[in-house]
Amino acid sequence: DRPSENKINSMNSEGLQKYLDKAVELAMEHSPKLILALVTLLVGLRFLKLIKNLLTKGFEKGNVDVTLRPFILNILNWVLKVILFIVVASMIGIETTSLVALLGAAQVL
């Protein structure tokens, strides 16, 4: 009874080691893209915040209607965030052509 348990444990540890090796290989292969995408996302979000602040000050100096300011800022903020997320998704390797086509079709409607 014991030899069969040892054989099963040995097979499980070999299988586990094989999956662990594959996981390390995939992590080493994809981690640079993921790190670059994460840095791009964080820098992009910070940049969008800067743009929003600059636009807010510009709207105040340009005497843009107070009720119109949040509307324009929200639309621009969402459009730029969508563009940023599409860029980040394509950096990771996600196919974004169908998403861009869908957004283009939605704009026509």
Side-chain angles (χ1 to χ4, degrees), residues 48 55 59 71-81:
L48 291 180
L55 284 173
F59 286 163
F71 176 72
I72 293 172
L73 286 174
N74 281 331
I75 288 177
L76 287 173
N77 191 32
W78 280 106
V79 167
L80 292 174
K81 280 183 180 177

Side-chain angles (χ1 to χ4, degrees), residues 32-49 80-92:
K33 286 194 293 188
L34 291 174
I35 291 170
L36 183 62
L38 181 62
V39 168
T40 303
L41 179 64
L42 294 175
V43 170
L45 289 173
R46 178 78 48 119
F47 184 69
L48 291 180
K49 189 175 184 179
L80 292 174
K81 280 183 180 177
V82 167
I83 292 170
L84 176 64
F85 287 117
I86 289 173
V87 168
V88 170
S90 66
M91 288 175 72
I92 294 173

Side-chain angles (χ1 to χ4, degrees), residues 92-103:
I92 294 173
I94 298 172
E95 188 62 41
T96 57
T97 53
S98 59
L99 179 61
V100 172
L102 180 67
L103 290 173

Side-chain angles (χ1 to χ4, degrees), residues 2-49:
R2 284 284 180 192
S4 64
E5 285 180 16
N6 288 339
K7 186 176 181 182
I8 290 173
N9 287 338
S10 173
M11 288 177 15
N12 285 340
S13 66
E14 289 172 8
L16 181 62
Q17 185 63 39
K18 184 174 87 173
Y19 287 118
L20 186 59
D21 291 342
K22 186 66 174 175
V24 169
E25 178 186 329
L26 287 173
M28 295 299 287
E29 180 181 331
H30 295 291
S31 63
K33 286 194 293 188
L34 291 174
I35 291 170
L36 183 62
L38 181 62
V39 168
T40 303
L41 179 64
L42 294 175
V43 170
L45 289 173
R46 178 78 48 119
F47 184 69
L48 291 180
K49 189 175 184 179

